[in-house]
Amino acid sequence: MTQKHPDFEQEQERLTYTKKYMQQLLDESKRDVKSAQENIRHAMADLDYLDSSLSYMNILTNARFFEMARSQKEGLEAIQQKPYFARIHFQKDGEDSEMLYIGKTSLFHRETQEPIIVDWRSPVANVYYDGRLGDIEYDVREDTFSGHLFSKRQYTIEQGELQSVRDIDLTTNDELLQEALSGKADVRLTEIVSTIQAEQNEIIRAHLKQPILVQGAAGSGKTTIALHRISYFLYTMGEHFPAEKLMILAPSKLFMDYIADVLPELGVSKICQTTYEEYVLQATSIKVKLKDSNLKLASLTEQDQPDEMMLWQSQMKGSLFYKELIDAYLKQYEKSVADQFEDIFIEKYRIMHGSRLKKLFLHDFAYMPIEKRLERIKVILQSHVRQKKKEILLMLNKKYDDALDRALNGIRDAAKRKSEVTKFIDERDRRIPLIERESKTTASSYLRRFKKANIKKMYRSFVTNENLINNHTQHWSAEQRLAFLRSNSVESWEVEDLAPLYYMHARLKGIPDEWKMRVVFIDEVQDYSIFQLVALKEGLETDMFTMVGDLAQGIHSYRALTSWDPVVELFPRATYKTLQKSYRTTIEIMDMANGILQQMDEDLPLVEPVVRHGNDPQFYEMTTLDGQRIVTLLQEIRSRGHHSIALICKTTTEAKSIARQLEDFLSIQLLSDHSDIDQKKLLIVPSHLAKGLEFDAVLIVAIETPFRQHSIDRKLLYVAMTRPMHELHLIAPTRDYFLLS
């Protein structure tokens, strides 16, 4: 029996006090919510017979009050069962020492303003994550504060009841972390605020106004860290960056479902969560039917020898050279627009020289998208027309006044005088209204010559433009030019085409404000091409990117990044961090996965598993799938307390085949991009969809389709091997199906 901490009773009293005070505030919040709702109802009812502006102000005030009360109520309810997870005994220089209890949100005593709970994102909480006992320093914005850390304490609180108390120094490899790691995988990712490690904390709290790139090993928690960084960002910068202007680009909808609970747990809502494909199509409003990107991956992995020309085209479309080709095409288009500028007239009077308009378009407004430049020129033109119209009318009125004066005073013959006066008056009364009418539409009529760009058609014109391709691709072979033109002769759309479409839209039209996010978080960034990142940076007009990925898991490296160098070059202000510790996998499993890592083309350091042992990975020889043996194996795994179990296959084709073979033996779920994970079933997962997920135990089956000595296959195998927390089982005719000797 574990001995209780000497302060256990005292800490229990503190927890009781906290819960009691929280309940008091919660009761008040509930009353406030109800009261605000009643007040809004009364104000709505009074709209008809009271002063409307007063009623609207009343409604607005109560709506704000209601939102505040509701927010407090929801915040308190969220932490009621676990108000805090740690405590520091800390003394800032020149101040009294404090016992600060750290949780997911802040709570202060209303009368004394003493902190009851300190938010984990607050600067002083950083003392818990990074500080060693003794004299320490910590930063608050631009200032550094010093003090003395007397103790750090961790709590296990379940359902509002104190289970254990521990005193610690470092958070690394402590009991709370080991307990968390020895636990069970869930169908959803969860927050880790109580076990954040020093190297993870450094990334979460890294400079918020600078981009950051993280190379994170499998199981290092990079996704979780990125999500916690979002929470920290909004806590610190939320005043300047509303949640609606932050965006997470996730690799798939399945992955979005997997991470769905984390941000609400961290008090974050309203943030845009989408996939790259979905974002581009929504931001550009371009209607295209994309081919399933996984079909190409499947094709490449199922062939004995991957199609080298297919690989080349995919890589080339994601390259900076392809961007240069499009830039050349857009330069031609820009010139064709500029050549349409001519002098503009009202009647016979020149309003503006075409050369001046052309200069505005090509030089003064060159930083703007082409159609935005034309909109700006229209505004300038309208202003010019209004000014010139006044000048013309003044000049004409004076001219006709002078002519009438000369006729009235200079012509003695009455009939002739009347004729001349009538002629001038008629001419004046005809011309001036005409000029008035013409001036109202001059700018609009002039700008009608500039047709709106159809991005989809323009891109199709680009990829089929034989002259442009031949003139700008001298380093391509004749075979490559022919293959490029032939593959694009029939209209089809792949994920590789989205970067050029988005880039062209940004350069020609600009990204609409509703889709112009100010801060971007990209998970699995290794699966992006450099062109995709360039296009996003250009379209969003920001470099505030948090990018996390692992080159070892770059299963789409045929069209994406194989090195971080171009990303570092694209984001010169970026902080670059590495995470090599794995918190997911046991030492035994990671040793096997490291063996695959060593076979890769990229020079990547081995992953360091946190000290946690388990069973050795097991190999089962099967030339055909034995459903009954699988049933027995699953029973054994579940008898050891593991519930989240995945059977991973290299390809979607084999996953479907295995699913058909096992559906009579077991309750199974074949995962697709849009699946809701059912943990009670055996999950059958194609290897490309397993990325980012974790399970208690994994079975990798390679009976029909072995893993080959090829870059893509090695990465798919590495992904599959690094998914389990506790157990790994390999099933194939021979061990070399898994690139094992």
Side-chain angles (χ1 to χ4, degrees):
M1 185 175 171
T2 308
Q3 190 175 2
K4 280 190 177 178
H5 191 281
D7 296 339
F8 189 87
E9 301 301 329
Q10 183 183 333
E11 292 290 1
Q12 209 163 28
E13 287 176 14
R14 177 54 163 75
L15 179 59
T16 302
Y17 160 75
T18 303
K19 285 165 58 183
K20 188 176 176 182
Y21 190 73
M22 285 171 65
Q23 189 59 54
Q24 181 186 328
L25 292 182
L26 193 55
D27 292 340
E28 288 178 19
S29 297
K30 286 176 181 175
R31 287 195 297 270
D32 289 343
V33 167
K34 193 174 178 181
S35 171
Q37 284 176 319
E38 283 296 318
N39 290 338
I40 290 169
R41 273 197 291 271
H42 288 310
M44 292 291 286
D46 291 343
L47 272 177
D48 291 335
Y49 59 89
L50 288 181
D51 180 276
S52 61
S53 62
L54 189 64
S55 292
Y56 280 121
M57 286 295 293
N58 197 8
I59 292 168
L60 196 60
T61 302
N62 279 289
R64 287 195 190 117
F65 184 63
F66 169 76
E67 188 57 37
M68 287 169 60
R70 189 178 63 82
S71 178
Q72 184 178 37
K73 173 179 165 292
E74 289 176 354
L76 289 167
E77 286 173 340
I79 65 167
Q80 201 172 16
Q81 300 304 313
K82 191 175 180 178
Y84 47 80
F85 56 83
R87 190 205 77 182
I88 57 172
H89 181 192
F90 178 66
Q91 184 175 19
K92 193 191 303 187
D93 287 351
E95 297 182 12
D96 295 335
S97 68
E98 294 180 287
M99 301 288 188
L100 299 174
Y101 288 77
I102 300 166
K104 288 185 191 176
T105 190
S106 293
L107 182 64
F108 294 87
H109 196 286
R110 284 187 172 177
E111 293 175 5
T112 65
Q113 292 303 304
E114 290 293 314
I116 297 172
I117 306 171
V118 173
D119 196 297
W120 71 274
R121 297 164 293 188
S122 66
V124 74
N126 203 31
V127 172
Y128 165 72
Y129 292 112
D130 286 350
R132 296 292 304 269
L133 302 186
D135 293 334
I136 61 161
E137 291 183 342
Y138 68 99
D139 295 328
V140 181
R141 297 182 177 90
E142 306 298 323
D143 295 321
T144 300
F145 294 91
S146 56
H148 190 84
L149 180 60
F150 297 98
S151 68
K152 290 202 291 189
R153 186 168 284 182
Q154 291 178 338
Y155 307 98
T156 303
I157 301 171
E158 300 294 342
Q159 300 299 312
E161 297 297 323
L162 184 64
Q163 305 293 317
S164 67
V165 180
R166 302 183 187 87
D167 288 311
I168 62 164
D169 184 357
L170 285 172
T171 55
T172 307
N173 296 333
D174 60 41
E175 289 180 57
L176 194 62
L177 175 64
Q178 290 297 330
E179 276 182 20
L181 297 179
S182 63
K184 307 303 173 194
D186 202 351
V187 295
R188 299 286 180 88
L189 199 64
T190 54
E191 51 82 12
I192 58 164
V193 293
S194 60
T195 58
I196 293 170
Q197 302 301 291
E199 75 274 13
Q200 296 173 328
N201 187 54
E202 188 180 349
I203 292 167
I204 291 169
R205 297 173 186 259
H207 201 304
L208 293 174
K209 292 184 179 178
Q210 289 180 356
I212 185 167
L213 172 63
V214 181
Q215 160 61 42
S220 61
K222 56 186 176 292
T223 297
T224 311
I225 290 165
L227 298 175
H228 284 64
R229 181 168 168 83
I230 292 170
S231 176
Y232 178 68
F233 184 96
L234 287 172
Y235 176 86
T236 310
M237 307 282 289
E239 227 178 282
H240 311 289
F241 295 86
E244 296 88 340
K245 286 297 178 183
L246 272 66
M247 175 170 68
I248 298 172
L249 290 178
S252 67
K253 290 192 175 176
L254 175 66
F255 190 77
M256 284 164 62
D257 182 62
Y258 181 64
I259 67 170
D261 289 345
V262 178
L263 290 176
E265 283 178 4
L266 295 170
V268 175
S269 61
K270 299 180 182 177
I271 191 168
C272 175
Q273 300 179 56
T274 185
T275 63
Y276 170 77
E277 292 87 345
E278 197 173 66
Y279 168 71
V280 169
L281 295 177
Q282 287 178 321
T284 60
S285 299
I286 295 173
K287 302 286 189 290
V288 295
K289 187 173 175 59
L290 286 177
K291 285 184 181 177
D292 184 349
S293 62
N294 296 315
L295 293 177
K296 182 179 284 188
L297 180 64
S299 170
L300 292 168
T301 54
E302 289 171 5
Q303 296 165 0
D304 290 333
Q305 287 296 324
D307 185 330
E308 292 300 327
M309 197 56 71
M310 184 189 289
L311 290 172
W312 170 79
Q313 286 207 61
S314 294
Q315 182 273 326
M316 186 273 299
K317 279 189 172 181
S319 69
L320 291 180
F321 176 72
Y322 198 58
K323 172 190 168 290
E324 289 170 13
L325 274 181
I326 289 173
D327 282 335
Y329 180 67
L330 292 177
K331 201 74 181 170
Q332 287 181 2
Y333 177 77
E334 182 187 53
K335 184 179 180 306
S336 71
V337 175
D339 288 344
Q340 296 178 62
F341 285 105
E342 298 172 347
D343 294 354
I344 184 167
F345 295 86
I346 294 179
E347 206 188 48
K348 62 181 181 180
Y349 300 100
R350 182 186 286 111
I351 302 300
M352 219 170 172
H353 286 277
S355 58
R356 169 63 179 145
L357 293 169
K358 192 171 182 177
K359 181 178 177 296
L360 286 172
F361 178 77
L362 287 176
H363 302 289
D364 298 33
F365 300 148
Y367 64 93
M368 301 171 72
I370 283 175
E371 290 184 6
K372 297 286 185 189
R373 298 183 217 176
L374 294 172
E375 289 172 12
R376 181 68 64 85
I377 286 170
K378 184 178 179 180
V379 171
I380 290 171
L381 205 48
Q382 286 171 329
S383 173
H384 242 72
V385 166
R386 283 194 296 271
Q387 182 60 38
K388 287 289 184 181
K389 181 195 75 173
K390 287 180 184 175
E391 292 174 11
I392 292 167
L393 291 179
L394 279 169
M395 183 268 292
L396 283 177
N397 278 314
K398 185 175 187 310
K399 176 184 170 183
Y400 283 112
D401 285 347
D402 290 347
L404 287 167
D405 189 58
R406 283 195 301 274
L408 287 167
N409 296 312
I411 302 173
R412 294 183 179 177
D413 184 273
K416 190 177 178 183
R417 185 170 61 245
K418 182 181 179 183
S419 172
E420 282 293 298
V421 168
T422 303
K423 183 184 78 171
F424 287 134
I425 290 172
D426 287 349
E427 188 178 307
R428 182 193 66 189
D429 291 350
R430 177 181 56 79
R431 286 184 72 188
I432 286 176
L434 275 174
I435 289 168
E436 289 274 11
R437 283 198 299 274
E438 191 180 341
S439 67
K440 289 177 182 175
T441 60
T442 298
S444 300
S445 299
Y446 184 82
L447 269 296
R448 277 197 203 104
R449 68 186 65 196
F450 303 101
K451 305 300 180 190
K452 297 283 186 185
N454 184 315
I455 306 294
K456 186 176 168 182
K457 283 184 178 176
M458 282 185 67
Y459 182 65
R460 284 294 304 150
S461 173
F462 161 73
V463 294
T464 55
N465 189 324
E466 193 171 342
N467 287 334
L468 184 135
I469 299 302
N470 288 335
N471 291 337
H472 289 85
T473 59
Q474 286 83 4
H475 65 289
W476 289 7
S477 67
E479 184 188 7
Q480 286 172 331
R481 286 195 200 96
L482 185 64
F484 179 83
L485 291 166
R486 187 182 292 148
S487 68
N488 290 293
S489 60
V490 177
E491 185 174 329
S492 69
W493 301 92
E494 298 181 307
V495 68
E496 292 95 323
D497 296 308
L498 291 181
L501 284 172
Y502 182 86
Y503 180 72
M504 288 175 73
H505 197 281
R507 291 284 308 276
L508 294 172
K509 296 177 180 292
I511 302 304
D513 287 344
E514 65 192 287
W515 293 107
K516 191 170 278 187
M517 304 300 170
R518 296 175 65 189
V519 184
V520 185
F521 295 80
I522 302 179
D523 201 359
E524 306 292 356
V525 72
Q526 78 281 347
D527 289 335
Y528 285 64
S529 69
I530 190 63
F531 191 6
Q532 283 177 297
L533 296 177
V534 167
L536 284 170
K537 187 183 176 190
E538 176 102 9
L540 295 171
E541 300 178 54
T542 181
D543 72 344
M544 297 274 283
F545 283 54
T546 291
M547 299 163 284
V548 300
D550 181 13
L551 291 175
Q553 299 181 67
I555 60 176
H556 297 290
S557 56
Y558 57 90
R559 61 169 167 81
L561 296 165
T562 55
S563 162
W564 295 129
D565 291 345
V567 185
V568 172
E569 194 172 330
L570 177 62
F571 295 92
R573 296 193 317 121
T575 305
Y576 177 71
K577 297 285 185 181
T578 59
L579 293 169
Q580 286 308 118
K581 288 182 181 174
S582 173
Y583 297 94
R584 176 188 299 134
T585 311
T586 63
I587 290 172
E588 289 75 13
I589 294 172
M590 203 64 239
D591 282 347
M592 179 175 280
N594 272 331
I596 304 301
L597 187 62
Q598 287 177 302
Q599 299 180 36
M600 293 189 188
D601 302 329
E602 293 82 3
D603 184 21
L604 294 167
L606 297 181
V607 182
E608 306 164 25
V610 171
V611 183
R612 183 168 64 89
H613 285 280
N615 297 330
D616 288 327
Q618 298 297 306
F619 175 76
Y620 306 82
E621 185 181 322
M622 291 189 202
T623 52
T624 58
L625 192 71
D626 186 334
Q628 196 51 59
R629 282 185 73 185
I630 299 294
V631 170
T632 303
L633 177 56
L634 288 179
Q635 287 171 343
E636 291 172 2
I637 294 170
R638 287 189 170 123
S639 73
R640 292 187 284 273
H642 304 313
H643 303 290
S644 173
I645 306 171
L647 187 155
I648 301 177
C649 305
K650 186 175 97 170
T651 66
T652 301
T653 303
E654 185 161 16
K656 289 177 179 176
S657 172
I658 296 291
R660 284 193 297 271
Q661 295 176 61
L662 289 179
E663 60 188 356
D664 293 334
F665 294 89
L666 292 157
S667 178
I668 64 165
Q669 181 187 14
L670 176 62
L671 289 193
S672 69
D673 189 37
H674 301 279
S675 298
D676 290 323
I677 300 174
D678 186 347
Q679 191 168 278
K680 295 175 183 174
K681 296 179 179 179
L682 172 65
L683 304 171
I684 300 179
V685 193
S687 55
H688 71 270
L689 276 181
K691 191 146 55 78
L693 307 180
E694 67 178 31
F695 310 94
D696 289 334
V698 166
L699 289 63
I700 308 178
V701 176
I703 292 174
E704 299 172 14
T705 317
F707 291 88
R708 307 157 304 167
Q709 281 292 355
H710 186 274
S711 174
I712 299 172
D713 281 33
R714 287 191 289 267
K715 288 174 178 177
L716 287 170
L717 178 58
Y718 179 76
V719 166
M721 280 186 175
T722 53
R723 296 311 95 198
M725 290 183 67
H726 305 290
E727 295 189 31
L728 176 61
H729 304 269
L730 308 174
I731 301 167
T734 62
R735 288 174 62 87
D736 62 4
Y737 272 49
F738 298 109
L739 309 180
L740 302 172
S741 54

